[in-house]
């Protein structure tokens, strides 16, 4: 038996990447890029790249314990309008019938300029629902050229029987179908129908690829089930993809962050995955990625995905010049114009040349600048060239170009503009920074990040083109992710299985919470997780009356023990002091249990420069040095599980605010072993106690638990 490995595959529009990772150490054993095989089908390329890597590294099929595939296919299908047309059978009765009829008729959805998802609509009264009426409705939709059937009924989250009848009829007729209640358990018929329609439009295409890819893995005799990347950074089984392909939308963006979190131990940061044409920017806070409802064609859906901002500023971004002045950078890239970058050419080729202008696409202004070289070829001026010229790209980096050809090309541009080559490059970099600063400031404000504690992280082939220049410009720390060009593919290989459920419930009871917890565990096990690795966190959103359960789990029994990477107490104290904006001598260790350490800082300051005051804050940091929580005016308690009703109850009571009308409990986080439990959504002490007891029932009475409370 050889060493056990994990395989990650990332199929992009241009390249298909694969990595093989040691399952014990998470070290990269092998990696490769090949052009994506669009014509023959992406599965052909997947087989080619995996078999080559396995043969070269003597890996046998039984050594593969995990194989996962990240795909941009759903996203590309939506961007290109390459989707199936959908027939919706809307349902409702009585007073709700009229509104249900309107809400289930989503008409056409604009996916991109002049690209539409077409829908047809039939409405049935559920009071008079019969097999015959369903058959007739399906016939009508098929006559109108619908490829997939969506069943969407009012209140189907409470009683899906009508939707299930329609789905059964569609299945009997061997049609593709989906039901609104399968896609989301939230009230809001219009948004649920829209999400189900987008999902349905992707089914035929994704079924074809899923079947081919699964067959490819089986043909290679790999026993591990193929997993597919989701848009929230987890993976799911291929069977789930056949039902809910919408979850793979934007998954390419999630994979990079998954890789960075595994390798880089970032507490608070902003991650830039920089390619040739665009950069994807996302936020890491308290060691976690930030998630929100995704939009399709400007409409909200019930799809929870990574909050990613995409900008057309990247390594291959072209430069625009008007009236001998540099006016813009991007959005077109050298890749789109079909020309090579100036900075990757041989020494002599660009020593003499002249500036010329092109329109990369026919509607573009003729302002994009190339250098026409003496070898008869033209090359694009790029942002990567500017970054190389200004010394931002470290030696040995993926984006490091040829110094001589870069200098020669930019001298020609500088001469044309009547300035030095360096000044031209600085102007270009300045324009790029201006665009990035707006997005970064928005994200910092929205997620309330602490500017003094942010790290900018670069990933993708062109990470260094942007990140250190931006960090210098904004005064932040920065780092390049390990294996940056392959970070997405590594994220795919290291991902955990993830499932989420949401219900619309006002003031959920203990039974509601237990029920959703049980259901999400059942769902994640169906998606390929081993039950005893599953972690569930419960969130209660009182403003929107949403009860949410999020489960994560591993696909095999042994989860990685990272204790070998534990930092010393001195190192943890140093990071905690930095996080809390204090000197090390002002920061003291309070308590620890499992992987968790709590530090407290007391910073003396003067209000208005006169009145002495103290600011106390605490942070919880894990053994690897990731700060998972930091709060001012927060309090910590270390107690034994057996003393919950005495120690913890009085701690909660002490920090509860009592008024004539009610008692407001503090926000509470619980830490034990490897687990961080977020109880900040709980409204009453009773709710909090019942979840806490449920989560800790497997612990012994002597086990130590840390509670952190803040107002």
């Amino acid at each position: 038996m050889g060493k056990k490995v994990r395989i990650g595959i990332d199929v992009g529009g241009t390249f298909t990447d694969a990595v093989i990772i040691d399952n014990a150490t998470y070290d990269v054993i092998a990696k490769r890029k090949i052009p994506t095989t669009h014509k023959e089908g992406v599965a052909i390329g997947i087989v080619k790249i995996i078999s080559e890597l396995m043969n070269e590294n003597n890996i046998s099929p039984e050594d593969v314990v995990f194989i996962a595939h990240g795909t941009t296919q759903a996203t590309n299908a939506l961007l290109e309008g390459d989707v199936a047309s959908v027939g919706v059978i809307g349902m409702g009765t009585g007073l709700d019938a009229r509104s249900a009829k309107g809400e289930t008729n989503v008409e056409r959805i604009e996916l991109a300029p002049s690209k539409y998802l077409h829908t047809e609509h039939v409405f049935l009264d559920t009071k008079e629902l019969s097999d015959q009426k369903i058959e007739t409705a399906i016939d009508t939709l098929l006559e109108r050229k619908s490829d997939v059937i969506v069943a969407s009924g009012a209140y189907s989250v409470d009683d899906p029987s009508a939707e299930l009848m329609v789905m059964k009829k569609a299945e009997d007729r061997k049609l593709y179908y989906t039901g609104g209640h399968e896609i989301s358990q939230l009230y809001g018929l219009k948004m649920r129908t829209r999400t189900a329609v987008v999902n349905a439009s992707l089914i035929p295409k994704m079924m074809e690829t899923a079947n081919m890819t699964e067959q490819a893995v089986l043909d290679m005799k790999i026993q591990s089930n193929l997993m597919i990347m989701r848009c929230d950074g987890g993976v799911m089984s291929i069977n789930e993809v056949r039902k809910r392909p919408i979850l793979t939308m934007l998954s390419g963006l999630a994979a990079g962050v998954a890789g960075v979190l595994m390798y880089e131990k970032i507490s608070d940061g902003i991650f830039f995955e920089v390619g040739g044409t665009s950069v994807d920017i996302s936020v890491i806070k308290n060691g976690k990625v930030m998630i929100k409802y995704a939009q399709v064609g400007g409409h909200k859906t019930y799809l929870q995905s990574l909050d990613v901002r995409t900008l057309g500023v990247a390594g291959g971004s072209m430069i625009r010049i008007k009236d001998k002045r540099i006016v813009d950078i991007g959005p077109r890239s050298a890749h789109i114009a079909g020309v090579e970058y100036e900075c990757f050419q041989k020494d002599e080729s660009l020593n003499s040349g002249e500036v010329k202008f092109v329109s990369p696409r026919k509607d573009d202004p003729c302002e994009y600048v190339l250098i026409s070289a003496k070898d008869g070829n033209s090359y694009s001026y790029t942002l990567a060239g500017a970054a190389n010229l200004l010394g931002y790209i470290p030696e040995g980096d993926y984006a490091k170009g040829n110094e001589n050809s870069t200098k020669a090309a930019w001298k020609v541009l500088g001469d044309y503009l009547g300035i030095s080559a360096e000044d031209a490059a600085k102007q270009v970099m300045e324009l790029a920074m201006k665009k990035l600063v707006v997005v970064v400031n928005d994200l910092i404000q929205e997620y309330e990040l602490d500017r003094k504690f942010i790290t900018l992280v670069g990933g993708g082939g062109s990470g260094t083109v942007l990140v250190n220049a931006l960090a210098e410009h904004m005064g932040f720390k920065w780092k390049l992710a390990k294996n940056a060009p392959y970070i997405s593919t590594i994220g795919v290989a290291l991902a955990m299985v993830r499932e989420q459920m949401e219900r619309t419930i006002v003031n959920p009871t203990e039974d509601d919470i237990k029920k959703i917890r049980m259901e999400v565990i059942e769902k994640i096990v169906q998606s390929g997780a081993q039950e005893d690795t599953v972690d569930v966190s419960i969130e209660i959103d009182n403003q929107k009356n949403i009860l949410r359960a999020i489960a994560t789990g591993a696909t095999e029994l042994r989860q990685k023990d990272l204790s070998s990477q534990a930092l010393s107490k001195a190192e943890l104290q140093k990071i905690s002091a930095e996080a809390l904006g204090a000197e090390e001598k002002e920061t003291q260790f309070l308590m620890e249990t499992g992987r968790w350490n709590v530090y407290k800082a007391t910073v003396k300051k003067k209000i208005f420069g006169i009145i002495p005051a103290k600011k106390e804050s605490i942070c919880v940091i894990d053994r690897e040095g990731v700060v998972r929580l930091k709060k001012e005016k927060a309090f910590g308690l270390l107690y034994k599980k057996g003393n919950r009703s005495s120690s913890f109850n009085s701690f909660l009571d002490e920090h509860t605010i009592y008024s004539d009308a009610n008692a407001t409990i503090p926000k509470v986080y619980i830490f034990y072993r490897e687990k961080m439990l977020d109880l900040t959504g709980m409204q009453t002490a009773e709710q909090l106690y019942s979840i806490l007891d449920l989560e800790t029932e497997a612990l012994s009475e002597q086990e130590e638990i840390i509670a952190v409370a803040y107002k």
Side-chain angles (χ1 to χ4, degrees), residues 452-588:
K452 297 191 287 294
F453 190 55
I454 295 173
T455 304
L456 305 185
V457 186
S462 301
T464 52
V465 172
L466 294 182
V467 172
N468 52 349
L470 184 63
E472 178 183 276
H473 184 86
M474 297 186 78
F476 294 143
K477 298 191 295 289
W478 74 280
K479 55 161 55 170
L480 186 67
K482 189 171 147 191
N483 291 309
Y486 287 88
I487 198 73
S488 280
T489 322
I490 289 164
V492 173
L494 298 180
M496 303 278 277
V497 189
R498 183 182 160 105
E499 271 301 341
Q500 173 165 321
M501 280 189 164
E502 294 181 313
R503 294 272 150 74
T504 309
I505 299 174
V506 183
N507 295 328
T509 63
E510 187 176 339
D511 282 346
D512 291 327
I513 291 166
K514 282 184 175 164
K515 188 171 174 229
I516 196 170
R517 194 173 182 279
M518 216 165 68
E519 286 172 10
V520 81
I521 290 173
E522 197 177 332
K523 185 102 196 148
I524 195 171
V525 171
Q526 280 171 5
S527 280
Q530 297 271 359
E531 191 162 349
D532 46 5
T533 68
V534 173
D535 250 354
V536 179
S537 74
I538 302 285
E539 295 174 1
I540 298 173
D541 181 339
N542 283 295
Q543 282 172 316
K544 295 180 185 151
N545 296 323
I546 292 175
L547 172 65
R548 184 180 294 125
I550 301 163
T552 49
T555 51
E556 61 198 278
L557 288 171
R558 196 171 49 79
Q559 272 185 289
K560 185 161 173 55
D561 174 26
L562 292 164
S563 48
S564 57
Q565 296 171 14
L567 300 182
S568 69
K569 282 283 184 281
E571 289 170 308
L572 293 176
Q573 181 162 348
K574 186 172 181 236
I575 297 169
S576 299
E578 192 189 342
L580 296 169
E583 299 289 320
E584 276 183 64
K585 60 175 185 292
E586 298 170 325
T587 309
Q588 67 186 92

Side-chain angles (χ1 to χ4, degrees), residues 176-278:
Y176 292 128
Y177 63 88
T178 188
H181 76 278
E182 283 193 312
I183 301 299
S184 172
Q185 292 284 309
L186 292 179
Y187 293 143
L189 182 56
K190 193 171 189 172
M191 203 147 125
R192 194 166 68 241
T193 307
R194 193 187 298 127
T195 311
V197 163
V198 173
N199 184 66
S201 75
L202 297 166
I203 289 175
K205 184 92 186 256
M206 294 297 279
M207 287 286 280
E208 194 185 319
T209 307
N211 294 340
M212 278 171 68
T213 314
E214 186 178 47
Q215 195 50 52
V217 170
L218 290 172
D219 290 347
M220 294 171 70
K221 302 195 168 43
I222 290 173
Q223 273 111 42
S224 177
N225 290 332
L226 178 68
M227 306 299 284
I228 306 287
M229 196 80 191
R230 293 166 53 116
C231 53
D232 53 16
V235 288
M236 61 184 184
S237 68
I238 202 149
N239 283 335
E240 285 298 311
V241 175
R242 292 185 176 107
K243 283 190 254 170
R244 296 183 291 161
I246 192 171
L247 289 176
T248 68
M249 193 178 106
L250 307 174
S251 65
L253 310 178
V257 184
V260 163
L261 285 177
M262 219 25 130
Y263 269 162
E264 297 303 333
K265 311 302 169 218
I266 301 292
S267 303
D268 287 6
I270 297 178
F271 174 56
F272 299 79
E273 180 144 8
V274 195
T277 304
S278 61

Side-chain angles (χ1 to χ4, degrees), residues 274-280 310-320 326 328-337 339-344 360 367-370 379-387 410 413 425 428-429 431-433 435-436 462 465-466:
V274 195
T277 304
S278 61
V279 55
D280 296 318
T310 301
L311 267 186
V313 176
S317 291
M318 296 175 77
I319 291 144
R320 285 172 61 180
I326 296 171
D328 203 359
I329 171 91
R332 298 289 178 241
S333 64
H335 171 70
I336 286 168
V339 288
E340 292 180 16
Y341 296 25
E342 82 289 41
C343 54
F344 297 131
E367 297 172 354
Y368 288 89
V369 63
L370 306 178
Y379 302 99
S380 179
Y381 285 99
T382 60
L383 190 59
W410 281 78
L413 184 65
V428 166
M429 196 50 91
L431 284 166
M433 295 304 113
K435 293 184 178 192
L436 290 161
S462 301
V465 172
L466 294 182

